[in-house]
Amino acid sequence: MKIYVSVHAAIICLILGNTGAFAQTADDFPPGAAHDLVSKTCTQCHNSDPIIFSGKTREGWAQTVTVMVGNGATVAPADFDKVVDYLAKSFPPK
């Protein structure tokens, strides 16, 4: 029975986390030219944890943003490089 409850609790947490129910504030992101754009775009579907705890190269962030756009994130083509540059500068490889 404990496993059943634990699995359900984990699923509920994952669902709530992915809906933005626990989305963190824009203050979780460091200042920068695309701060507001990244904060608004990236926390529509998930909280800031996957971003602030990731460290990627510019190429890695470009791939991530491309995947997120494929999953429904709205990033205008003119903003793509701004978002990637901000992420690469703010969250480089660790």
Side-chain angles (χ1 to χ4, degrees), residues 1 6 15 20 30-31 37-40 42 45-47 54 62 65 69 77 83 92-93:
M1 183 67 172
S6 296
I15 291 169
L37 174 63
V38 169
S39 176
K40 178 183 172 193
C42 297
C45 298
H46 57 77
N47 65 32
S54 292
V65 173
V69 168
V83 169

Side-chain angles (χ1 to χ4, degrees), residues 2-89:
K2 283 186 179 182
I3 293 173
Y4 181 77
V5 172
S6 296
V7 170
H8 283 324
I11 291 170
I12 290 169
C13 288
L14 287 172
I15 291 169
L16 291 176
N18 286 334
T19 63
F22 294 107
Q24 295 158 336
T25 66
D27 295 333
D28 288 338
F29 296 104
H35 172 277
D36 293 343
L37 174 63
V38 169
S39 176
K40 178 183 172 193
T41 302
C42 297
T43 60
Q44 287 181 349
C45 298
H46 57 77
N47 65 32
S48 61
D49 287 350
I51 301 163
I52 63 176
F53 294 115
S54 292
K56 300 179 184 184
T57 63
R58 187 184 191 291
E59 294 76 24
W61 282 116
Q63 290 174 347
T64 298
V65 173
T66 299
V67 168
M68 293 299 114
V69 168
N71 288 335
T74 304
V75 177
D79 291 333
F80 183 85
D81 284 334
K82 293 175 192 173
V83 169
V84 172
D85 289 342
Y86 173 85
L87 292 169
K89 180 179 179 185

